[in-house]
Amino acid sequence: MDEIKISLLQSSEKTSGLQFFEGRVQAGFPSPAQGEYADTIDLNHALITNPAATFCARVIGNSMIDAGINEGDLLIIDRSLTPHDGNIAVCFIDGDFTVKRLSVRDDGVYLTPANASFPEFKVGEDSNFQIWGVVSHIIKKV
């Protein structure tokens, strides 16, 4: 299974905002800018709902590439969210962390990769298994 590195997301009272362009950016044909940098945006406030329960992890491996999660991406994981069928979650299983899509079925819980080269994994009844948190955001370098 692919691994991820987990680290505590440090939040401080003193934050610096990034300049925020209030207009929308066209992904089609360009249009004239409708505004200037009107404000700042604090990504901690924009991306994190519950700082005390939020962690970051750097992805290692490529089992989730078809879900847009690539090696090196930074995941924001919220442990306060209730995991549901279909969520992408960080799970702890038998001593390792992994990121997979949860699939809850009548016969058990499965960890489903988003890459056809990787097999689906059924969580055994005797496994040391915990859904550690739900992925709320993916930050990528382009």
Side-chain angles (χ1 to χ4, degrees):
M1 252 186 249
D2 286 350
E3 299 177 0
I4 58 173
K5 292 182 182 178
I6 304 288
S7 60
L8 177 63
L9 182 65
Q10 297 295 327
S11 179
S12 67
E13 292 297 317
K14 191 176 188 181
T15 59
S16 61
L18 299 172
Q19 291 214 347
F20 182 64
F21 180 72
E22 194 145 351
R24 299 200 181 250
V25 177
Q26 291 284 346
F29 294 104
S31 66
Q34 295 180 355
E36 301 270 334
Y37 293 104
D39 207 348
T40 60
I41 185 169
D42 182 336
L43 294 179
N44 285 314
H45 290 278
L47 301 178
I48 299 168
T49 305
N50 187 354
T54 301
F55 293 81
C56 287
R58 179 101 32 212
V59 176
I60 302 170
N62 60 2
S63 72
M64 295 299 289
I65 59 174
D66 292 336
I69 300 174
N70 299 351
E71 183 156 347
D73 287 352
L74 187 64
L75 303 178
I76 298 179
I77 305 147
D78 190 338
R79 295 192 73 189
S80 71
L81 298 176
T82 302
H84 296 283
D85 180 55
N87 283 149
I88 295 175
V90 171
C91 302
F92 181 80
I93 185 158
D94 297 330
D96 292 314
F97 285 100
T98 187
V99 59
K100 298 288 182 280
R101 188 172 303 279
L102 299 174
S103 181
V104 181
R105 303 179 194 159
D106 291 338
D107 65 333
V109 174
Y110 290 79
L111 301 180
T112 305
N115 181 336
S117 299
F118 289 79
E120 188 172 62
F121 179 81
K122 182 178 181 185
V123 177
E125 291 182 23
D126 59 339
S127 293
N128 179 8
F129 175 70
Q130 179 184 10
I131 299 172
W132 203 72
V134 175
V135 175
S136 60
H137 295 84
I138 304 163
I139 300 173
K140 8 176 95 282
K141 184 175 182 178
V142 294

